[in-house]
């Protein structure tokens, strides 16, 4: 997600990210992935920082800004960063670390607006995995009969600079390789598992089910 681009210095940019994130979080929609940091709301700032930054490799996490939720429910910066990355917990308490392109994407997603076209390929880390998301509905908060709920293990997420770049990948997450989540929506992105999906994936996509049945 979980967000905003600028050509300023990293520090100024992060300040802007924080300001925009705070502005945008005043009226967050009621959905799972984007409701930042509620899952960490009961924790101390230090605990949230430790958990959120664990989503990325240590060299990135240690210098990343960390966003959390203040007592008033609004987003606030728990720790300033120096490397352009921002880490946070989503509503489910899952950890993620986002580059600038993903920060912009997340701001749009939270507000159900079209994200800006990425200037470079966006990279986000979720090396602790997640508690699950629909592969088709960006705003689903729980499994339904047909929303292709998938629980992912550790993964990296990529934002293409052009949607046509998604065409090289399947939407089927059960094969163990990269796949496209939320294809056909403005929030489509590439999920890249970094460990086996065998145990973490739920049912195969509906169109695959009949063929795979044995
Ligand atoms: Cu993810």
């Amino acid at each position: 997600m979980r967000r905003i681009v600028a050509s300023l210095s990293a520090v100024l940019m992060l300040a802007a990210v924080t300001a925009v994130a705070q502005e945008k979080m005043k009226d967050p929609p009621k959905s799972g992935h984007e409701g930042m940091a509620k899952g960490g709301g009961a924790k101390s700032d230090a605990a949230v920082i430790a958990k959120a930054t664990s989503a990325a490799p240590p060299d990135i996490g240690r210098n990343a800004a960390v966003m959390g939720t203040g007592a008033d429910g609004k987003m606030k910066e728990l720790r300033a960063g120096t490397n352009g990355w921002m880490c946070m917990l989503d509503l489910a308490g899952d950890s993620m670390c986002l580059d600038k392109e993903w920060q912009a994407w997340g701001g749009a997603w939270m507000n159900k607006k079209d994200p800006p076209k990425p200037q470079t390929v966006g990279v986000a880390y979720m090396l602790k995995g997640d508690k699950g998301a629909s592969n088709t509905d960006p705003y689903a908060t729980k499994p339904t009969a047909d929303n292709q709920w998938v629980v992912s293990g550790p993964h990296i997420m990529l934002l293409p600079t052009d949607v046509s770049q998604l065409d090289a990948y399947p939407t089927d997450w059960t094969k163990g390789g990269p796949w496209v989540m939320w294809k056909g929506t403005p929030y489509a992105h590439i999920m890249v598992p970094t460990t086996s999906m065998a145990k973490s994936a739920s049912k195969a996509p509906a169109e695959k089910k009949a063929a795979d049945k044995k």
Side-chain angles (χ1 to χ4, degrees):
M1 345 214 184
R2 108 205 54 168
R3 304 188 150 173
I4 290 103
V5 192
S7 56
L8 307 172
S9 74
V11 170
L12 285 175
M13 189 192 63
L14 280 167
V17 167
T18 303
V20 174
Q22 286 174 335
E23 184 63 27
K24 292 190 170 186
M25 284 304 290
K26 280 174 187 164
D27 185 24
K30 297 185 189 89
S31 80
H33 222 39
E34 81 281 18
M36 304 179 177
K38 268 266 175 67
K43 297 175 191 288
S44 69
D45 285 2
V48 172
I49 289 168
K51 187 175 182 191
T53 56
S54 73
D59 286 345
I60 288 177
R62 97 170 46 97
N63 295 315
V66 180
M67 296 294 292
T69 308
D72 58 2
K74 288 181 192 164
M75 293 297 290
K76 68 168 186 181
E77 190 174 73
L78 301 180
R79 187 185 78 185
T82 58
N83 63 1
W85 290 83
M86 187 271 277
C87 301
M88 52 173 242
L89 305 180
D90 68 11
L91 187 63
D94 295 326
S95 312
M96 56 185 68
C97 293
L98 313 175
D99 73 1
K100 296 185 293 286
E101 303 295 350
W102 271 95
Q103 290 168 42
W105 178 99
W109 180 34
M110 286 186 288
N111 291 281
K112 303 192 174 179
K113 298 212 167 96
D114 283 354
K117 190 178 166 79
Q119 301 300 301
T120 62
V121 171
V123 177
Y125 289 99
M126 291 187 74
L127 297 183
K128 299 295 185 192
D130 63 47
K131 294 188 184 67
S134 163
N135 200 47
T136 58
D137 177 359
Y139 296 108
T141 58
K142 57 179 187 294
T144 67
D146 60 358
N147 74 356
Q148 299 186 12
W149 193 257
V150 53
V151 178
S152 298
H155 62 278
I156 291 162
M157 302 188 291
L158 302 176
L159 272 187
T161 54
D162 189 282
V163 287
S164 67
Q165 293 159 358
L166 300 172
D167 294 344
Y169 301 96
T171 55
D172 182 355
W173 66 87
T174 65
K175 305 304 183 196
W179 86 92
V180 181
M181 178 173 271
W182 301 343
K183 191 160 193 184
T185 78
Y187 312 106
H189 59 277
I190 302 167
M191 298 280 286
V192 186
T194 57
T195 62
S196 171
M197 285 288 288
K199 291 201 171 114
S200 52
S202 56
K203 287 177 297 184
E207 68 271 16
K208 299 279 183 191
K209 249 187 276 178
D212 290 351
K213 208 174 274 176
K214 291 197 172 107

